[in-house]
Amino acid sequence: MANAPSSVTFNKLRKRLLRQTRQAIEDFQMLRPETGTTRPRWLIALSGGKDSYALLAVLSELQWRGLLPVELLACNLDQGQPNFPKHVLPEFLNRNGIAHRIEYRDTYSVVKEKVPEGATYCALCSRLRRGNLYRIAREEGCEALVLGHHRDDILETFFLNLFHGGKLAAMPPKLLNDEGDLLVLRPLAYCAEDELAKFASAMEFPIIPCDLCGSQDGLQRNAMKAMLSDIERRMPGRKDTMLKALANARPSHLLDPKLFDFGAINPPA
């Protein structure tokens, strides 16, 4: 993409993000073996935030290098938010020669109408956005919807579920939607948010802020983010250790009898 710096520091960062993304794609088997002459098609959800820009840039480079044998289609869902700069993403995508689709659906008004004053918009907004993206993926013949969630998003979700949901669960890097016809992929699962932010800043992506959920204070996710940032500040490297822990579960040392047959543990007769 245009505006890529040539500094040694930036190149190290870019290569690290490429390596981490390739590793996630391999570890979670996001690519199916090619069949025939038709390549699979991925729909890249492009919000205009730093993470989705970085996702598109990294996947585009992997594709250009011949390391990602898929067809990429960027998609922005214009949700009707006031003052949304409609020209920014089309100009960026056209300037970089990226295949794309811009879709308008006024979910903003629906969310503002349905969600009580003072409540958080994220859950309903996310459901409406995801439903539209699934529809677009089907219309475009895509086998996967690809999202820009990263390491920090996964850890925040884990602690949200731990503290508020009473379960051990995070964002899976790969899942099948409820209808069973589309994959949902998160290739940035190993990438750190602060490094994605540095990458986006160096690339001078035209960031578009969210005026809906981004305008609300006191969200539970913000509390998780602050907690994790404090832990990382006091004990550097803990976020990476936590992510490794999510890939190193031991059912016999947890408390879920559905995952481990505790009744089979008995001393010799």
Side-chain angles (χ1 to χ4, degrees):
M1 290 186 177
N3 297 327
S6 58
S7 69
V8 172
T9 300
F10 176 80
N11 281 328
K12 287 182 178 179
L13 171 62
R14 178 180 56 82
K15 289 178 181 178
R16 186 159 56 251
L17 294 176
L18 288 169
R19 183 179 68 252
Q20 290 170 337
T21 303
R22 284 190 67 193
Q23 190 65 54
I25 290 172
E26 178 181 333
D27 286 351
F28 302 105
Q29 302 180 54
M30 297 183 187
L31 282 172
R32 292 192 300 181
E34 290 188 62
T35 56
T37 58
T38 303
R39 286 188 168 189
R41 202 176 201 205
W42 287 3
L43 188 75
I44 313 299
L46 184 65
S47 66
K50 67 183 190 313
D51 304 326
S52 62
Y53 273 123
L55 172 69
L56 179 61
V58 170
L59 293 183
S60 295
E61 181 163 351
L62 289 175
Q63 182 193 54
W64 176 76
R65 292 177 177 273
L67 300 172
L68 186 64
V70 301
E71 183 181 343
L72 302 176
L73 178 67
C75 177
N76 172 251
L77 181 65
D78 179 351
Q79 297 179 261
Q81 295 181 18
N83 304 314
F84 183 79
K86 296 178 181 292
H87 65 286
V88 170
L89 285 169
E91 289 179 0
F92 171 83
L93 294 165
N94 286 325
R95 186 166 63 249
N96 286 281
I98 296 170
H100 62 277
R101 172 171 168 175
I102 307 295
E103 180 84 2
Y104 178 79
R105 283 290 186 277
D106 185 10
T107 63
Y108 178 87
S109 298
V110 176
V111 172
K112 294 288 285 186
E113 177 186 346
K114 299 294 184 182
V115 177
E117 186 71 26
T120 58
Y121 300 132
C122 293
L124 178 57
C125 181
S126 177
R127 285 199 302 272
L128 294 173
R129 182 173 61 249
R130 186 70 60 87
N132 277 287
L133 290 171
Y134 284 161
R135 171 183 57 80
I136 294 166
R138 295 184 185 104
E139 291 174 358
E140 295 291 345
C142 298
E143 74 166 23
L145 170 63
V146 188
L147 306 174
H149 296 127
H150 44 67
R151 179 198 69 179
D152 298 64
D153 288 321
I154 291 172
L155 292 176
E156 289 160 18
T157 301
F158 173 79
F159 281 103
L160 279 171
N161 284 322
L162 179 68
F163 292 160
H164 300 285
K167 59 185 176 182
L168 295 180
M171 285 179 173
K174 177 184 179 181
L175 64 85
L176 196 63
N177 68 337
D178 291 340
E179 294 77 8
D181 65 336
L182 289 169
L183 292 172
V184 178
L185 305 178
R186 297 181 171 96
L188 300 184
Y190 293 155
C191 299
E193 182 177 19
D194 60 345
E195 296 208 325
L196 293 169
K198 291 175 184 175
F199 179 82
S201 177
M203 290 290 289
E204 299 180 354
F205 292 137
I207 304 299
I208 301 174
C210 174
D211 292 327
L212 188 58
C213 58
S215 65
Q216 294 178 294
D217 295 325
L219 298 178
Q220 292 174 344
R221 183 170 291 275
N222 289 346
M224 299 301 102
K225 185 184 292 291
M227 179 193 73
L228 287 166
S229 295
D230 181 60
I231 292 172
E232 185 71 16
R233 178 183 58 79
R234 291 185 289 109
M235 296 178 286
R238 292 316 95 187
K239 286 184 179 181
D240 283 336
T241 301
M242 291 182 210
L243 196 72
K244 289 177 182 177
L246 292 180
N248 188 26
R250 298 187 180 183
S252 64
H253 287 56
L254 297 174
L255 308 181
D256 191 342
K258 297 186 296 296
L259 292 180
F260 186 81
D261 185 5
F262 292 95
I265 302 177
N266 290 295

